Amino acid sequence: MLCISVAPVSRKLAKADLLNAAGQCDLIELCLDHLLKEPDVGEMLQGIGKPIVVPCRRPQEGGKFAGTDEERMTLLRQAIVAGPQYVELDLETAPKVPRFGKTKRLISVMSLNGPPDDVDAAYDEAAKANADVIKFAWPASTFEAVWPLLKIISQKRQIPTVGLLIGRSALTLALLGRALDVPWSYAALERGLESVPGQPTVRDLKEIYCWDDIGPKTRFVALIGPIDQQMAKTARVLNAAFRAIDDRHRCLPTPIRSFERLGERLERLKINAIVVSPEFARAAAEQAQKREGSAEPSGYADLLLRQPDGWTAYHTFWRHAAKALEDRLGRKDEQDHPLDRRNVLVVGSGGLAQAFVYGIQRNKGIVSITSPDEKSAQQLAQKFGLRHVPFHNLYDTLADVVAIADPAVQMGHGKTEINPGYFRPTMTVMDVSALPDDTLLLEEVRGRGCKVVEPSEVFRGLLAAQFESLTGKQFPAPVWDEVLANEP
């Protein structure tokens, strides 16, 4: 089930929020601790038409209740008399609030410092509190903090378990919970109405991550990287394409701290594919058991697939970045290589710059590299046999093509920024630091008459290649227009 959290501060608005939520979910969590005045719970629940879970959390449990503990328990007892489906009780409160009527007990184990040292012992303690369902909640910004909870909810236990994570990985847990058939997963009614930080909205779950399609047979593709606008667009496009060909793959946002034990854990969840963001592409190449094609010489991997002999790394970015650039330079046919002998200045020193350098060299461009991070740029220049340009000498360097490949490099007049006065109408400029979006720099250089390689074209080619690697089928072209037309 999908449980929408409603955390109103006004008694007047509470009813409207409950009715709005009722049309979009299976279960509603009504958080009494956010209300500024004491509510009439019975009146609030009348006419809602969906099962209700009622918590009233203290600040030490991530809640907002400002009264005394006796006042809170009185409010919980009154709520139980109103007859909700569940009342949520913490381990300290549970012995003081007896079972009454048909209301079931959701026993909550909240740990604001992260997972309990012994999750199994915490489960057993909650079970002894006369629980019908056990709920775990703790902060989780990365997949590593989700894992202890996944081990609990994926096991068949006498008392079912749900989870509420605080932070970016709440989205990861919600989607995995759907596939693992947990009793319910939590979502917010809309942005700004989250009951805890990081809670996904019901709209995002359904429109971007295809909540209604997910089940035990779903084949997740882990999206490694920060849960940001780029990841959301990647998931929106890929999921729409999977759906268009009736494929069971769906995207799973998976923010990580490192690749340590990631492959092993994903295998246990039967996840056999990983799409990697630039921040982790070098680590992905290092961690893979095998590197195919350009992943070996470039040291960059944006796609990992699990094979019988382990994880295999692939590098798909360079080919499509180079193609988009050569198309903008006026390539006539497949045999024409307009990058040949062109002077290309790559700005950046991270994984994305490394991938770009490899692609330009493969197409016989003459590459120089510069970055505010001089040491890293020098190391990259040495690895690939490039000319290193000190960043303060950038404005004395002539180039036919300038490629920005580092999100930390910004337009401006500071020592570590690029002055827009450097760009000339004779230059072709490519900025892949914020794919698939434009940057302020691209807006500026267009106005200066430079040719611009559209980041959306690079993004389109990249996702099409990854889709074909995942499914063995051609990317359905109409999906692009459909996704763009329906973007908020």
Side-chain angles (χ1 to χ4, degrees), residues 194-207:
E194 300 90 343
S195 65
V196 294
Q199 192 172 44
T201 66
V202 63
R203 180 175 180 176
D204 285 352
L205 286 176
K206 292 191 174 185
E207 295 186 5

Side-chain angles (χ1 to χ4, degrees), residues 236-242 244 475-484:
R236 188 186 292 274
V237 172
L238 287 177
N239 281 341
F242 294 142
F475 188 93
V479 164
W480 291 107
D481 294 334
E482 293 170 9
V483 169
L484 290 174

Side-chain angles (χ1 to χ4, degrees), residues 158-170:
Q158 185 175 2
I159 301 174
T161 308
V162 298
L164 175 66
L165 294 181
I166 304 167
R168 295 178 302 166
S169 290

